[in-house]
Amino acid sequence: MFDLIISVLVICIFVFLLCVIVVVSGKLMGQSGEAVLSVNDTEQKTVKRGQRLIDVLADNRIFLPAACGGKGNCGRCKLIVSGGGPVTALEKIALTENEIKQGFRLGCQVKVRNDIGVKVPEELLNVKGFRATLVKAVDSAYHIKTLFFKLNNGDKLCFKAGQYVQITYEQPRERYIRAYSISSSPSCLDTFSLDVQLVENGTVSSYLHSIEVGSEIDFTGPYGDMWIDDFSEDSEVLLLAGGVGIAPMKSIVAKFVDAGYVGKLVLFHGARSMKYLLEYDDLKKVAKAHKNFIYVPVLSDPALEDGWTENTGMVHETLENWLKCNNCSQNSQAYICGPTPMMNAVTNVLMQNNFTCDRIHTDPFT
């Protein structure tokens, strides 16, 4: 009996010492306790240590763009940080040497271990968190749904045509964040739509394709710098989209219609076949009603039953042919959204036709 008591005491002492070691090492490594977060040298907040900076900022209603869900792939959560510890391998890939020298870090890669300071761009301080209710869902193309939402609590979403929001999908062990371009007109402040493509094994896209009318979502926004706020009368705007990359272009076209724009707006949209081509009939109607809007759909592999008689091939090929027949002014602007290979090919064609980098605006997706 005495030996049993001794054994129990030894085990208890061992567990106690182990707990002490864990607590002490946690404090030494900055994994527990509190730290001071300084924002733009003007505001200080007390936060918990051991968390990712992007999550700490979100808990304090400062929302960084993170199209990759905070995995370090998109590089959009870039901001200047002091006291963030050593630069990670992913940051060395996503950031230039000059950016690292200036103190730029990725919010998803920095752990808050000690007092830390950040400089957040003013436009991101205007990003807010919202909740919205699904009011309608439409199968708009193969594996693509257009979801229509109404904001809760009388909230208003003030965005520019071409911007995007980030959907937050909470699960017990992980918080998923995905970016989706707003496809509706910016003149509608209490409603908006998203075009969502079903991705194989895609957690968030599968969730959004499965929700029913009346379901609620959490999101933040607006984000993005590929936007149009106003049109000048003498300008020419080229919109170049691949697949579901037409979503932000739909918002820009809606802005064009709402504003009564008198300049030229040309939309090139590439898809594999008719079943992948979003809004074909509606965009044809817009082109018929507005002589300054030109709609150029392009199919890379039209099916026989499509009866397709319009442009075939790739978007950049059609663009190149169009530019040979149409002289663009020095004020022309180009907006591109789609898969990376398509965007690279289109950008090369534009630059070969004297479009400077400041006149080419992009919003890549993977």
Side-chain angles (χ1 to χ4, degrees):
M1 184 67 179
F2 180 75
D3 291 340
L4 179 60
I5 295 174
I6 293 297
S7 299
V8 171
L9 285 174
V10 169
I11 292 172
C12 290
I13 292 171
F14 175 77
V15 171
F16 173 76
L17 290 175
L18 186 61
C19 291
V20 170
I21 291 172
V22 170
V23 171
V24 172
S25 61
K27 287 185 177 293
L28 291 175
M29 297 177 65
Q31 296 293 332
S32 62
E34 295 181 336
V36 175
L37 169 68
S38 175
V39 180
N40 293 357
D41 299 323
T42 59
E43 186 177 3
Q44 291 189 339
K45 304 172 184 290
T46 301
V47 300
K48 291 183 179 179
R49 294 194 292 185
Q51 301 181 82
R52 296 188 309 169
L53 178 58
I54 192 172
D55 295 326
V56 169
L57 290 172
D59 290 340
N60 286 275
R61 312 301 292 173
I62 299 174
F63 304 103
L64 301 182
C68 64
K71 300 186 184 300
N73 299 327
C74 70
R76 294 188 181 185
C77 61
K78 178 174 63 177
L79 74 168
I80 293 178
V81 178
S82 59
V87 177
T88 67
L90 272 175
E91 288 177 300
K92 291 177 181 178
I93 296 172
L95 302 172
T96 66
E97 289 185 13
N98 189 43
E99 286 176 329
I100 293 174
K101 288 179 181 178
Q102 293 178 59
F104 280 100
R105 302 291 302 273
L106 297 183
C108 65
Q109 295 298 300
V110 174
K111 281 283 188 74
V112 177
R113 303 186 189 280
N114 301 291
D115 292 351
I116 191 168
V118 298
K119 291 186 178 179
V120 182
E122 289 299 322
E123 62 268 21
L124 290 182
L125 295 178
N126 295 324
V127 172
K128 299 178 181 179
F130 299 93
R131 195 165 180 82
T133 301
L134 180 68
V135 295
K136 186 170 71 169
V138 176
D139 292 321
S140 49
Y142 182 70
H143 280 180
I144 297 175
K145 281 192 174 185
T146 300
L147 306 178
F148 298 85
F149 294 94
K150 183 175 178 60
L151 274 74
N152 294 1
N153 306 316
D155 285 339
K156 306 293 183 183
L157 177 63
C158 298
F159 67 95
K160 297 180 175 68
Q163 289 190 299
Y164 66 92
V165 297
Q166 292 185 168
I167 305 295
T168 303
Y169 179 42
E170 294 280 0
Q171 288 291 281
R173 295 185 178 181
E174 189 170 354
R175 173 191 293 174
Y176 295 91
I177 300 172
R178 294 294 183 270
Y180 292 97
S181 294
I182 304 169
S183 58
S184 53
S185 170
S187 63
C188 302
L189 300 180
D190 61 345
T191 61
F192 67 97
S193 65
L194 305 176
D195 294 328
V196 180
Q197 182 174 17
L198 182 63
V199 179
E200 186 177 359
N201 299 321
T203 301
V204 179
S205 68
S206 298
Y207 158 68
L208 290 174
H209 267 246
S210 68
I211 61 174
E212 299 179 350
V213 170
S215 301
E216 296 183 336
I217 63 165
D218 293 304
F219 73 96
T220 59
Y223 300 95
D225 51 15
M226 191 201 77
W227 50 263
I228 288 181
D229 193 31
D230 202 0
F231 297 95
S232 60
E233 293 186 358
D234 61 343
S235 68
E236 182 175 64
V237 177
L238 305 183
L239 307 177
L240 301 121
V244 77
I246 196 175
M249 310 310 182
K250 286 169 56 180
S251 183
I252 293 174
V253 171
K255 170 73 176 179
F256 160 86
V257 172
D258 293 344
Y261 175 51
V262 296
K264 182 186 288 187
L265 183 67
V266 186
L267 169 61
F268 296 82
H269 182 209
R272 185 183 306 172
S273 62
M274 279 292 289
K275 73 176 185 178
Y276 295 94
L277 196 60
L278 283 78
E279 308 294 339
Y280 175 76
D281 292 332
D282 288 341
L283 289 169
K284 279 287 189 181
K285 291 176 182 177
V286 175
K288 186 175 181 179
H290 299 270
K291 63 179 181 180
N292 293 337
F293 173 60
I294 301 172
Y295 173 46
V296 186
V298 186
L299 297 184
S300 61
D301 187 21
L304 184 62
E305 59 269 22
D306 290 341
W308 189 252
T309 59
E310 300 184 55
N311 296 286
T312 57
M314 309 304 290
V315 171
H316 70 277
E317 297 168 340
T318 303
L319 170 65
E320 190 168 26
N321 293 331
W322 189 89
L323 289 172
K324 289 177 181 177
C325 303
N326 296 270
N327 294 321
C328 291
S329 71
Q330 294 300 313
N331 294 326
S332 299
Q333 303 285 321
Y335 294 78
I336 318 170
C337 184
T340 300
M342 167 264 175
M343 294 186 62
N344 290 340
V346 166
T347 300
N348 288 336
V349 170
L350 290 170
M351 297 189 73
Q352 289 168 9
N353 284 271
N354 300 318
F355 273 75
T356 53
C357 291
D358 62 312
R359 292 163 55 206
I360 300 175
H361 314 275
T362 61
D363 187 16
F365 67 85
T366 56

